[in-house]
Amino acid sequence: MSETTGSETTEAETTEARNRRKLREGLVVSDKMSKTIVVALEDRKKHRRYSKVLRSTTKVKAHDEENTAGVGDRVLLMETRPLSATKRWRLVEILEKAK
């Protein structure tokens, strides 16, 4: 009986650890690669002294299995294991299609 309790605890710990993945919302900048999109992630920080809001942009590559996202789409990304030398994110869903 103690063996099943131990395995259940291990499963709960792995699912709990898996749920802590980062989610980011960004804008697709490029979709020219096969099964890969380039997404611009915007970060807004307040200056410590002057309290002005500063915008910084980071470009990341994300895995898009069906090549569904296009340039200008607002997408939701999830952090994942390294899929290639530069890909560390995958597409979860397209929030808004480009007009």
Side-chain angles (χ1 to χ4, degrees):
M1 292 174 96
S2 62
E3 291 176 14
T4 55
T5 313
S7 64
E8 290 173 10
T9 313
T10 312
E11 289 176 18
E13 289 172 3
T14 55
T15 52
E16 185 180 318
R18 185 179 170 100
N19 290 337
R20 289 194 206 116
R21 295 184 178 187
K22 294 176 191 167
L23 286 170
R24 296 285 182 266
E25 186 179 321
L27 197 71
V28 178
V29 178
S30 172
D31 63 347
K32 296 184 186 233
M33 292 173 272
S34 175
K35 297 187 179 183
T36 304
I37 54 175
V38 180
V39 181
L41 302 176
E42 185 180 286
D43 188 29
R44 300 174 73 174
K45 294 180 183 174
K46 191 176 261 195
H47 194 281
R48 288 184 300 208
R49 185 170 200 173
Y50 300 116
S51 298
K52 180 179 176 169
V53 178
L54 303 170
R55 293 171 26 182
S56 63
T57 308
T58 307
K59 286 185 190 176
V60 297
K61 290 187 179 87
H63 185 67
D64 181 12
E65 186 65 39
E66 289 92 34
N67 287 322
T68 52
V71 177
D73 293 351
R74 185 154 300 282
V75 295
L76 186 67
L77 302 179
M78 180 181 278
E79 191 178 37
T80 185
R81 64 182 174 85
L83 299 170
S84 74
T86 54
K87 273 202 284 190
R88 305 294 192 266
W89 297 84
R90 66 179 166 90
L91 178 68
V92 176
E93 66 174 312
I94 299 172
L95 301 172
E96 181 183 338
K97 288 295 266 183
K99 292 166 180 96

